[in-house]
Amino acid sequence: MKYSELLNIIDLKTKPVNDFAVAGLAYDSRKVKDGFIFFAIKGFKEDGNKYAVKAIESGANAIITDFISAKQFIGEIPNDINIIGVDDVRKVMAQMAFVFCGKPSEKIKLIGITGTNGKTTITYLLKHIFETAGFKCGLIGTIDYLTGASKQESRLTTPDSIEINVMLKEMVDAGIEFCFMEVSSIALVLHRVYGQEFSAGIFTNLTSEHLDLHK
């Protein structure tokens, strides 16, 4: 997919200074390769903008960042590198990942389970019930990521949007019909599931454990 096509599909109205075939997406500069788009995210501990130059050196052809950082990069990085300033980098990353991976949650029944307690238990119960009924199922949660193509030990209850879309694509390619995904409240705040097509959602409960975050 061309960079210009991706911009057009997500309706990001900007003209590329240098169009290219998108080979991948990354928010970690260590994972960037030739033809990648790098998302410079300001996190709680790190500012991804500090690694933009490293990402370019590793082959990134485009940097998606916030408006202020985009202005600061002018004159600091090569003129043939696409720099876009946006309101919310995480939302744009989620939209691009969704499109780049072929809109996988439109091709699978995605069930999200959120709440303070019970997410993991309900996710595994549902997976077992549906598999017993003869359906092929995948799972994304606190313990494992099960895509049909692979089994990975979980790093986050709900991974970032790039990883989610890659895993959902694996499930679609493996012929999986249902995916049961734990959706943590921090994942909702950080737009990790932004733009996903959920077939159903389950809310378990809300206890004081989450009031610090949600007030």
Side-chain angles (χ1 to χ4, degrees), residues 175-194:
I176 285 176
E177 300 161 273
F178 287 85
C179 172
F180 300 100
M181 177 165 65
E182 291 186 53
V183 182
S184 66
S185 76
I186 190 69
L188 292 169
V189 170
L190 297 181
H191 308 301
R192 292 178 186 166
V193 294
Y194 182 77

Side-chain angles (χ1 to χ4, degrees), residues 139-153:
L139 184 146
I140 299 173
T142 303
I143 300 173
D144 291 312
Y145 304 147
L146 307 172
T147 68
S150 65
K151 175 180 179 180
Q152 307 170 45
E153 187 175 337

Side-chain angles (χ1 to χ4, degrees), residues 39-213:
F39 299 90
I41 295 172
K42 288 183 178 178
F44 296 117
K45 296 180 181 179
E46 287 280 7
D47 183 354
N49 291 288
K50 294 193 303 184
Y51 304 97
V53 173
K54 182 181 177 184
I56 293 168
E57 291 171 349
S58 297
N61 290 104
I63 306 294
I64 311 292
T65 184
D66 59 274
F67 286 112
I68 295 174
S69 299
K71 290 179 181 178
Q72 292 173 344
F73 281 136
I74 296 174
E76 292 185 9
I77 63 177
N79 293 330
D80 62 342
I81 299 298
N82 296 280
I83 309 170
I84 299 180
V86 297
D87 288 320
D88 194 313
V89 180
R90 290 182 183 276
K91 280 187 175 181
V92 172
M93 180 171 77
Q95 289 175 300
M96 285 192 170
F98 179 66
V99 173
F100 182 72
C101 291
K103 302 181 180 180
S105 61
E106 291 184 352
K107 304 167 185 175
I108 192 172
K109 293 193 182 301
L110 179 61
I111 317 298
I113 299 95
T114 193
T116 304
N117 301 307
K119 296 187 297 297
T120 303
T121 301
I122 291 172
T123 302
Y124 276 91
L125 282 172
L126 287 172
K127 181 174 181 291
H128 177 73
I129 291 168
F130 275 68
E131 286 179 336
T132 300
F135 295 100
K136 292 185 69 175
C137 301
L139 184 146
I140 299 173
T142 303
I143 300 173
D144 291 312
Y145 304 147
L146 307 172
T147 68
S150 65
K151 175 180 179 180
Q152 307 170 45
E153 187 175 337
S154 174
R155 185 177 62 86
L156 295 170
T157 294
T158 312
D160 269 295
S161 56
I162 294 175
E163 286 88 352
I164 288 174
N165 282 285
V166 168
M167 284 190 277
L168 289 176
K169 183 180 184 304
E170 284 186 8
M171 293 183 200
V172 171
D173 292 344
I176 285 176
E177 300 161 273
F178 287 85
C179 172
F180 300 100
M181 177 165 65
E182 291 186 53
V183 182
S184 66
S185 76
I186 190 69
L188 292 169
V189 170
L190 297 181
H191 308 301
R192 292 178 186 166
V193 294
Y194 182 77
Q196 293 297 342
E197 295 288 340
F198 285 93
S199 295
I202 296 172
F203 173 70
T204 62
N205 48 54
L206 175 66
T207 72
S208 59
E209 192 178 345
H210 275 118
L211 296 185
D212 287 345
L213 176 66

